[in-house]
Amino acid sequence: MPDSASAPRRSFLAGIAALGTGALALLAPLWSGIRVALAPLGRAREDAAMVPVAKLAAIPDDGVPRRFRVVKDRVDAWNTHRRLPVGAVYLRRMGDSVEALNVVCPHAGCFVNVAADRSRFVCPCHKSSFDLSGAVNDPASPSPRDMDPLDVEIRGDEVWVRFQNFLPGRAEREPVA
Ligand code: FES
């Protein structure tokens, strides 16, 4: 003879089973969504890779910054775009040592120039001023931080830079994803 309490128990267990099946059915699309959402993180890592920028011999050994274009391959979900311009850097050579700065002004994103007397950088937009190492050197400069330095490696006769853009308008350095 059936127990009068077994009917609600069966119904409860059936509900749990249905819930489990529903949760399993959601896992595949959920995982796909997570992978799509995390894809930009993979691109950000790729964006911070070292890229060849110039021949060492192309940079005079006089401590004056020279501007070089940065090109790199970009891979999206469907295509590989070869040698796209992604920005520019100032390279400054002193002997065998080379320093790199992103040319973008940390205030609002204009490209900074080397001053006519080659003693500093100046931004044409709102007159931020930086010394040749990229440090803000005028208290009236609106830039909230120094210019953005980039890692450099000399590989054979080439200068490689870990190219990265950073968000303008903030004191802390935050990479653009
Ligand atoms: S963008 Fe350079 S000072 Fe404003």
Side-chain angles (χ1 to χ4, degrees):
M1 186 147 173
D3 178 357
S4 61
S6 68
R9 191 165 49 233
R10 271 199 306 275
S11 152
F12 173 75
L13 290 175
I16 294 290
L19 214 58
T21 306
L24 279 177
L26 279 176
L27 276 181
L30 184 64
W31 175 240
S32 297
I34 288 170
R35 287 180 59 199
V36 168
L38 293 180
L41 295 178
R43 283 197 292 277
R45 277 196 300 275
E46 177 192 322
D47 282 347
M50 299 294 287
V51 288
V53 171
K55 295 282 188 195
L56 185 59
I59 313 167
D61 179 13
D62 57 6
V64 176
R66 263 71 177 198
R67 189 145 110 183
F68 293 88
R69 202 167 66 115
V70 177
V71 295
K72 56 192 294 194
D73 296 343
R74 271 257 165 92
V75 181
D76 62 26
W78 297 278
N79 299 299
T80 297
H81 306 277
R82 300 274 175 212
R83 296 188 59 74
L84 282 181
V86 292
V89 293
Y90 281 112
L91 297 180
R92 183 167 167 246
R93 180 176 175 190
M94 292 138 296
D96 289 336
S97 154
V98 176
E99 294 176 355
L101 295 168
N102 196 315
V103 301
V104 173
C105 179
H107 177 228
C110 295
F111 277 20
V112 302
N113 297 322
V114 177
D117 66 1
R118 301 168 140 200
S119 67
R120 63 194 177 110
F121 295 103
V122 285
C123 181
C125 292
H126 314 99
K127 307 295 180 224
S128 278
S129 174
F130 310 88
D131 68 22
L132 291 183
S133 71
V136 173
N137 68 353
D138 177 354
S141 288
S143 178
R145 64 174 189 266
D146 299 339
M147 291 172 69
D148 298 315
L150 300 167
D151 292 342
V152 176
E153 280 179 21
I154 312 291
R155 298 183 180 176
D157 64 346
E158 288 185 320
V159 179
W160 288 59
V161 172
R162 189 177 309 285
F163 184 75
Q164 178 71 66
N165 285 308
F166 298 87
L167 294 174
R170 49 188 73 190
E172 72 285 359
R173 200 162 274 129
E174 193 173 324
V176 175

